[in-house]
Amino acid sequence: NRAEGGTSAVPTASPLLQPARGARVRGAPLLVWKRVRHARYYNVQLLHGGTKILSSWPRKPRLQLQRRWRFGHRVRRLRPGRYCWFVWPGLGTRSERRYGPRLGKSCFTVVRRAA
């Protein structure tokens, strides 16, 4: 008898994979999305209360958020509340500012850390 090895995957219609839509997270989450063919980088934007608080251009289809960062000449912090994020694939060089269609929008909620 031989067991076949393999991997399992959870199918999803959304290209934005992690955190799952509506997830409740403690601390800074890792944002993960599906790779886009020919994308050389991605533009990720994070909004809180309708205000953009982060824009980043990772080369890989993931971005580890930090508890604190600088954006718009201000120090920003990941505080409890609802956050929405968007991703666009970057085609060509970043200086060309040529983007494909938005991959999607997803939201998550940061909850207080347990003491």
Side-chain angles (χ1 to χ4, degrees):
N1 290 343
R2 195 172 102 205
E4 290 197 28
T7 59
S8 63
V10 177
T12 178
S14 173
L16 306 184
L17 304 174
Q18 193 177 324
R21 181 170 299 186
R24 297 171 59 83
V25 300
R26 296 185 195 285
L30 173 66
L31 305 180
V32 180
W33 56 93
K34 290 180 183 175
R35 180 183 167 275
V36 173
R37 190 179 207 184
H38 304 300
R40 293 179 65 185
Y41 64 95
Y42 299 88
N43 176 236
V44 180
Q45 296 182 11
L46 181 67
L47 281 73
H48 179 67
T51 302
K52 183 165 50 167
I53 60 171
L54 175 71
S55 195
S56 186
W57 293 267
R59 291 180 180 260
K60 297 189 178 190
R62 64 182 166 271
L63 176 66
Q64 176 64 62
L65 295 181
Q66 303 299 314
R67 290 179 61 191
R68 184 181 351 206
W69 66 93
R70 270 190 148 334
F71 178 75
H73 305 292
R74 293 179 57 190
V75 173
R76 309 288 181 149
R77 287 181 171 74
L78 199 63
R79 300 183 187 281
R82 186 170 187 259
Y83 293 82
C84 293
W85 58 291
F86 304 83
V87 179
W88 289 265
L91 309 169
T93 64
R94 192 172 148 200
S95 63
E96 290 178 81
R97 297 179 182 167
R98 194 164 51 98
Y99 297 98
R102 185 178 82 182
L103 298 182
K105 169 189 176 183
S106 188
C107 298
F108 61 90
T109 301
V110 174
V111 296
R112 290 205 186 282
R113 292 170 159 266

